[in-house]
Each structure stands twice: as C-alpha cells, then as structure tokens.
Amino acid sequence: MGTDESATTATTRRLSPDWLLRDEIGLCPCGCVGKRRRGGFVEKTLSGVSGLVRGAMFSEDVAATPGLLQRIDARVKVVTLLGLLVVAAFLHSIAALATMYVVALVVASASRLSVRFFVARVWLFVPVFTGIVVLPATLNLVTPGTIVVPLGHWFGGPVGLTAEGLESAGLIVMRVAVSISLVVLLTLTTPWTRLLHALRSLRLPATVILVLAMAYRYLFHLLAAVEDMYTARRARTVVPDRDLRNGRRFVAASAGALFGKAYGLSEEVYLAMVARGFTGDVRLLAPDRVKRRDLAWCVACGGLGLVLLWGDRVLG
C-alpha cells in the first residue's frame, strides 16, 4: 500500500504544473501583511445605502417587540406625543426640559429600546449641529452679559462666553434634543403602515399619505437597484479603477439610469395598485381600538405636560 501511494503522489506531482506546486507567501488574516486599500466614494456611498436599509429593518423589528409604547394605539401615540412636542416648545427652563428628556429615556427603556442606541441616534445628529449653530450666540459680541469664560481681548475689548448666552444655547439644544427624542420614540415603536393609518385618521390629506407610503416602500427598491448596478460594474472590472473622474462619470450615468427606472416603476406600481382597487386610504386587516391602557397613557401624558408647565412657571 505504501508503494502504491508513493507512486500515485509522484505521478500527481509530475502531471501538475509547476506554478500550482510552487510555495507562496500567504497573507495574514489579521491584515498585518500587505496594505489595505481605501475604498472610494462610490464604495462608501454604497455602504451607507446598506446601512440605511439595515437601520430600517431594525426599526421594523423594534416596532414588533412587546414594549410599553408598542402596545399603545398608534393614533393615541401620535396625538399624545404631538401634545408633548407642543409642551416642549413652551418650556423656558433647562431643568424642566432635562426632566422631560429623562422621562423619554425611561419610556424608551420600558419600550425595550437600547438606551445607548437611543441616545446615540438622538445626539449624533441635529442637537450637535444645533449646538454648533448657536455657538456664536454664547459670545458677548452677540449676547451681552456676564462673561464667565474669558477668551482674551478682540477688537479692542474683552471677548468671552456669557452666562446668558450659555443659558440660551443650552435651552435651544435641550429643546431640540427632547423634540427629536419624542419623534424617534414614535417612529421606532410604530410600524409604518399603522403610523400612516393614524395620520390618515387625523384627517391628513390622502395625497400626502400616498406620497409617504410610496416613497418609503419603493425607496428601498431603488437603493437595491443602485447596489446591483455597482455590483455588476465591479464584476466586469478586471483592474481596480482608482480614477476619480471615472467614478464621477459612473455616478452621473447611474443617476440618469436610476431616474428612468424610477419613472417606469412608478407608472407600473400605480397601474397595479389601481387594478387592485386602491383608493388612497390606508386600510388595516386588524383595525386598532382604543383600550384602557391607551386612556391611561393619555392621562399620564396630560399629567406630565401640566406638571412640567407648572414647574416651568414656578422656576420663572
């Protein structure tokens, strides 16, 4: 048996090409050998598209979990959270807004949302941008007052951050953060179809509902089409193309093709929906009914709004 195996091995080596039997240095899986090529702007755009789709899928999964807000009727949630948004607009105390934000965090935790994800989703976008925008208002050049953080002498006079400017900036940032938190709570804990049904129940025009439904539903189809176009281009590319002009040319051509595809898709979808009896109203297989927990939620939100307004008035 040993002689036969040796003969077979020798025959295999004799018939195999030299380049197949030649030893080569393999790349380390950890990436310590070789250079990692940076992705172009097209690849980064496509990765952002994939992240958007994954985020939407994650939102649908969160809305299906049995949490506090998930059990509340969508119409009740829209009305109560809209009322809390109005309350936040009338608050003029940072302490009252901070209390409202803490309540939003508690409600998010009771709705089985990751507090870390919730905080990151709220603070990494508009509040930070708002803080940058209102930053000049903290200077005594814009908001006169008592300088608490001196920044030297500019234009022949002292310049610094004033207590009045910092208070105004903090008030605006906290108000924006609370407003975004309430909107994120509504969108993460409510399925899209039930949210549209709730908006339609509040007498929002059917045209607006139709546009929102179509935009949300077929945005992901168009994003998938863009990703397929880019994958097809990479599959037909032998040598990696690092020319930025070619990348821009591809993006421009893809945008034109995508526009034509979107126009054709809209016509087909509209005809298909009309053929199936669509009239512009959102209908659910299991209509929502207001229950006792919905009434309790209304009472709790109303009480919270009154307490916050009273406390804000007391704080001056």
Side-chain angles (χ1 to χ4, degrees):
M1 292 294 293
T3 305
D4 296 339
E5 291 179 358
S6 300
T8 303
T9 304
T11 303
T12 304
R13 287 183 173 275
R14 186 172 62 255
L15 297 177
S16 301
D18 294 337
W19 60 267
L20 185 60
L21 301 176
R22 190 181 305 120
D23 295 333
E24 294 183 358
I25 300 176
L27 292 179
C28 176
C30 63
C32 58
V33 178
K35 249 184 207 183
R36 179 181 297 176
R37 186 174 65 88
R38 292 185 179 180
F41 70 96
V42 179
E43 296 182 8
K44 293 179 181 178
T45 302
L46 266 296
S47 63
V49 167
S50 301
L52 177 62
V53 174
R54 287 194 299 268
M57 297 302 178
F58 174 75
S59 300
E60 292 293 331
D61 293 339
V62 171
T65 57
L68 173 62
L69 283 181
Q70 288 86 340
R71 298 174 182 175
I72 304 299
D73 187 277
R75 296 166 296 178
V76 175
K77 277 191 291 186
V78 171
V79 173
T80 53
L81 293 180
L82 182 61
L84 291 177
L85 282 174
V86 175
V87 171
F90 280 97
L91 294 179
H92 296 85
S93 170
I94 297 180
L97 289 171
T99 303
M100 198 171 185
Y101 181 72
V102 171
V103 172
L105 291 179
V106 173
V107 173
S109 179
S111 301
R112 298 189 178 184
L113 298 177
S114 174
V115 177
R116 181 179 179 182
F117 168 78
F118 180 76
V119 172
R121 189 155 187 168
V122 171
W123 283 97
L124 288 181
F125 295 102
V126 180
V128 175
F129 178 74
T130 305
I132 296 175
V133 171
V134 302
L135 187 61
T138 60
L139 298 173
N140 63 331
L141 299 176
V142 180
T143 307
T146 305
I147 298 179
V148 293
V149 181
L151 299 177
H153 286 73
W154 301 353
F155 309 107
V159 176
L161 306 181
T162 62
E164 293 79 3
L166 291 175
E167 183 178 0
S168 301
L171 182 64
I172 294 175
V173 171
M174 284 301 303
R175 182 175 294 157
V176 173
V178 170
S179 302
I180 294 178
S181 299
L182 296 176
V183 174
V184 170
L185 281 177
L186 177 63
T187 55
L188 286 182
T189 59
T190 310
W192 185 247
T193 54
R194 294 190 177 275
L195 181 58
L196 292 180
H197 177 67
L199 294 176
R200 181 56 181 157
S201 301
L202 297 177
R203 303 305 178 188
L204 200 66
T207 304
V208 178
I209 299 296
L210 179 61
V211 170
L212 291 175
M214 296 290 291
Y216 181 83
R217 179 66 180 86
Y218 291 97
L219 174 64
F220 302 107
H221 287 281
L222 296 178
L223 293 178
V226 172
E227 191 169 3
D228 292 341
M229 293 167 63
Y230 180 70
T231 303
R233 179 176 181 267
R234 290 193 60 183
R236 291 169 173 82
T237 303
V238 179
V239 180
D241 189 6
R242 300 181 181 180
D243 191 359
L244 293 179
R245 290 177 297 180
N246 293 335
R248 296 190 185 100
R249 193 179 299 114
F250 166 73
V251 171
S254 301
L258 186 64
F259 179 79
K261 185 176 293 187
Y263 181 77
L265 182 63
S266 63
E267 291 290 335
E268 295 176 0
V269 169
Y270 174 74
L271 294 177
M273 294 175 66
V274 171
R276 289 167 174 81
F278 183 74
T279 59
D281 291 329
V282 180
R283 301 181 184 274
L284 301 176
L285 295 178
D288 294 330
R289 295 180 179 178
V290 179
K291 301 178 181 179
R292 293 182 179 178
R293 59 170 174 261
D294 301 324
L295 297 177
W297 172 257
C298 290
V299 173
C301 291
L304 176 64
L306 292 176
V307 170
L308 289 174
L309 290 175
W310 175 80
D312 183 72
R313 185 175 181 181
V314 170
L315 293 175

